[in-house]
Amino acid sequence: MLIVHVPAGQREAYLVSIPRDLLVAIPPANGFAGGPDKINAAYEHGGGGQAGAQLLSATLHRLTGIRFDGAALIDFSGFRKVIDLLGGVQMCVDTEVRSIHTNRVFPTGCQRMDGAQALDYVRQRYDLPGGDYDRQHHQQQLLRAMLDSAGKADLRSNPVKLDQVLRAVGGSLTVDTNGVPLEDLLLALRALPPDGMRGVQLPSSPQTINEVSYVVLENGGDGLFEAVRGTRVPAWAQANPHWVTRL
């Protein structure tokens, strides 16, 4: 799960990763009485699909106080299709890791990956020094790499090619843009400079509660959510560099 924040001026964007095991209060919905659980359970409690995404959004709003302008939900098949249509992505592997899903070994160094390889890589968390936090960073890197490939394919400035990609994804993509054309949102990202994207790790730490592994916020997020609501994320990032990486 990623919260994408683009401050006014569209010269930078921040990708805030939400740990799947983050302990949150999930509102009641769809027969679910509500209560504490891991945040990734909100999607299931909501019934999956658009309803699940709506409960996840409501859970994030309760946690962060942020009202979202829209949401995008894409399944694994959709990601593979998009990456392959873009001609693959350039990913830089920082720690060698063996996939628990395919047994493929990803050696260190920058390399071209197709959709299946890229998705396999960014799903890994075991045997990585930072565990799930490293996986979150790799997922942020993948989105950066996809945007780079889109730029090289002239996708962001070519509505025809963009339409081809969106149509190819088809039923794999569920989008709620609050009435704004999806093409407008994607094309707006073309103004981002090459170094204008930042990955943000949510201030948090792993914790075991009643023999269940969770991720728990540190100090309510160390002011990150307040910074997003007040459009002060650049200043927050400068004051908290250990939670921020350049993608």
Side-chain angles (χ1 to χ4, degrees):
M1 288 161 284
L2 286 166
I3 297 175
V4 181
H5 175 57
V6 183
Q10 299 177 345
R11 301 302 299 167
E12 54 194 351
Y14 294 88
L15 306 182
V16 183
S17 286
I18 306 298
R20 56 174 291 174
D21 292 341
L22 185 67
L23 180 60
V24 296
I26 302 176
N30 196 35
F32 172 63
D37 206 338
K38 297 181 178 182
I39 195 167
N40 67 326
Y43 180 76
E44 181 180 354
H45 289 316
Q50 188 168 359
Q54 288 173 344
L55 182 57
L56 176 59
S57 177
T59 303
L60 284 169
H61 172 61
R62 173 180 284 191
L63 173 72
T64 66
I66 300 168
R67 290 197 177 277
F68 298 98
D69 299 303
L73 171 69
I74 187 168
D75 65 21
F76 290 154
S77 164
F79 255 122
R80 286 196 301 269
K81 290 179 182 177
V82 170
I83 294 170
D84 288 339
L85 280 167
L86 293 175
V89 291
Q90 185 79 358
M91 294 288 291
C92 293
V93 178
D94 42 26
T95 302
E96 181 176 299
V97 62
R98 180 183 296 274
S99 169
I100 65 169
H101 304 105
T102 64
N103 211 35
R104 179 189 286 118
V105 175
F106 295 94
T108 58
C110 297
Q111 50 207 269
R112 199 76 181 173
M113 297 185 186
D114 62 22
Q117 292 169 329
L119 191 60
D120 190 15
Y121 173 62
V122 302
R123 293 177 67 194
Q124 305 310 313
R125 61 171 171 163
Y126 299 106
D127 295 329
L128 292 175
D132 190 52
Y133 290 108
D134 283 344
R135 175 168 63 177
Q136 293 168 37
H137 178 60
H138 296 159
Q139 291 169 352
Q140 294 170 345
Q141 288 178 315
L142 175 60
L143 291 185
R144 166 80 269 181
M146 290 175 68
L147 188 59
D148 288 343
S149 290
K152 292 175 182 177
D154 201 28
L155 183 65
R156 291 173 292 173
S157 59
N158 189 326
V160 175
K161 286 188 178 180
L162 177 61
D163 182 67
Q164 290 174 343
V165 170
L166 294 178
R167 290 179 183 276
V169 174
S172 300
L173 180 67
T174 301
V175 180
D176 177 7
T177 61
N178 204 22
V180 178
L182 177 61
E183 293 85 350
D184 289 354
L185 292 179
L186 294 181
L187 292 175
L189 294 176
R190 67 183 175 185
L192 284 174
D195 63 345
M197 189 168 285
R198 305 286 188 273
V200 181
Q201 181 179 315
L202 186 64
S204 59
S205 58
Q207 192 173 132
T208 300
I209 303 174
N210 295 327
E211 300 184 353
V212 178
S213 297
Y214 293 99
V215 172
V216 179
L217 278 181
E218 290 188 2
N219 302 318
D222 278 347
L224 173 59
F225 303 141
E226 291 83 355
V228 175
R229 296 198 303 268
T231 63
R232 293 179 285 99
V233 177
W236 185 92
Q238 188 173 6
N240 297 272
H242 52 292
W243 296 115
V244 183
T245 56
R246 179 173 294 180
L247 301 177

